[in-house]
Amino acid sequence: HASLFIVPQFQRRIQNHLSFHYKSIITNNPDYGPRIGSRYERSGEYTGPKKPGDFSTLEAYFLYQRRFLSIKAGKFNQAETNSSRIDIQNNIQLPPVYGLAYHFYLGIFKYSQAHYFLGYSSEDDFSSGYSRYYATQKISFQSNNLDISIGDRVIYSGIDQAVNWRYLAPFDPFLLDVFNFGAPTNNDNHAIDLSLAFNTHLGLRFVSKIVIDEFEIDSADRLTNDDDWGSMVSATYDTKNLFLKQISLRYLYASDYL
């Protein structure tokens, strides 16, 4: 049968620097719930609206912006920019999740940190399941022609895992905190990322990125081949033409484990 999708969205400015953003999806498709993150439980139990339709909130967050500070809290997408869906570090097709992210600007330097809750994934979610969290941080140097950034990120999980406050400390490298002593009951999966971008006056932009998974690895993990990585090299030219706006060549590699 024909499927109907309605995506209402709005934003409202509360104060000069504070705004609220909301986006949802409504459909009459009876089997689309898991794809839009509706109230279907992974265990198979159905707790959502009555069939045949479904409803889900895609985004709902507060945004506070000033010249040197930006804070976002609620449910939103993790990608920092909307430049491309083919990016080894920022994929705009990632689903929105619950989290808190902020960016602090100090001249040519920028510091970013975020913390997200990824939900549960086990056969017994209602009583005891694996909780997964995702934390990121990055420091960048940005000028007219050169952008350099280094960051690290970690997905940590465990049975009824609570928020680990050490991953909320600013400028505290995850590299010094990550441990896997509790695996497989509790596990911290760490990666670092490096980025270099060069802009020319002719509208040509060169970008090189790398992500190294399990950069810090313990002796138990060395038994498996999980010390993997991904890389990306691209050249983009802005034509400033109405019909052909951009030409981009991109090489992307990502290991299966990454």
Side-chain angles (χ1 to χ4, degrees):
H1 59 83
S3 296
L4 177 66
F5 299 92
I6 303 174
V7 187
Q9 56 182 316
F10 72 92
Q11 65 181 48
R12 180 177 178 84
R13 183 169 298 277
I14 302 174
Q15 294 178 346
N16 291 336
H17 305 288
L18 182 64
S19 59
F20 176 72
H21 301 251
Y22 183 83
K23 182 179 180 180
S24 62
I25 184 170
I26 305 170
T27 178
N28 66 336
N29 190 309
D31 303 315
Y32 214 75
R35 299 184 62 184
I36 63 176
S38 73
R39 290 167 288 183
Y40 284 87
E41 301 293 344
R42 290 177 185 239
S43 60
E45 296 291 335
Y46 176 75
T47 61
K50 298 296 183 181
K51 293 187 176 183
D54 208 338
F55 165 84
S56 179
T57 298
L58 297 181
E59 291 184 342
Y61 62 89
F62 290 98
L63 178 62
Y64 178 82
Q65 286 182 308
R66 294 188 73 95
R67 185 176 56 86
F68 60 91
L69 179 65
S70 173
I71 304 175
K72 184 184 291 187
K75 185 178 183 181
F76 52 91
N77 191 287
Q78 307 121 68
E80 293 185 4
T81 62
N82 294 325
S83 59
S84 174
R85 66 180 178 87
I86 308 174
D87 192 302
I88 193 67
Q89 294 181 5
N90 288 297
N91 191 329
I92 64 174
Q93 291 186 322
L94 292 174
V97 293
Y98 302 97
L100 171 68
Y102 67 88
H103 309 279
F104 180 76
Y105 305 90
L106 183 60
I108 60 176
F109 294 97
K110 173 185 175 183
Y111 177 75
S112 305
Q113 189 178 40
H115 198 281
Y116 307 97
F117 174 58
L118 300 183
Y120 300 93
S121 59
S122 75
E123 295 181 355
D124 193 15
D125 287 337
F126 296 108
S127 58
S128 174
Y130 274 88
S131 307
R132 283 181 167 84
Y133 298 86
Y134 176 44
T136 66
Q137 64 175 331
K138 182 174 67 175
I139 187 168
S140 305
F141 165 85
Q142 299 175 332
S143 65
N144 293 333
N145 302 106
L146 186 64
D147 296 344
I148 303 175
S149 68
I150 179 171
D152 58 349
R153 58 192 71 195
V154 61
I155 293 180
Y156 64 96
S157 61
I159 297 179
D160 295 333
Q161 173 74 54
V163 172
N164 195 327
W165 293 99
R166 65 183 179 182
Y167 293 131
L168 296 173
F171 299 100
D172 185 14
F174 299 158
L175 173 64
L176 305 179
D177 293 327
V178 170
F179 69 99
N180 284 329
F181 299 133
T185 303
N186 295 85
N187 184 59
D188 293 33
N189 189 358
H190 178 245
I192 66 172
D193 52 83
L194 307 170
S195 176
L196 173 64
F198 179 72
N199 304 307
T200 68
H201 297 291
L202 301 176
L204 191 61
R205 177 179 174 87
F206 299 95
V207 178
S208 176
K209 295 185 178 184
I210 186 172
V211 177
I212 306 175
D213 194 15
E214 288 289 6
F215 182 78
E216 181 186 36
I217 195 168
D218 56 49
S219 57
D221 279 344
R222 291 193 183 98
L223 300 177
T224 61
N225 183 26
D226 61 357
D227 189 8
D228 286 328
W229 59 286
S231 62
M232 185 190 79
V233 179
S234 69
T236 303
Y237 176 67
D238 293 324
T239 64
K240 299 180 181 179
N241 186 284
L242 180 62
F243 301 100
L244 182 61
K245 294 184 177 181
Q246 189 180 84
I247 300 174
S248 180
L249 299 176
R250 183 165 309 193
Y251 169 78
L252 179 68
Y253 167 78
S255 65
D256 293 337
Y257 186 83
L258 178 69

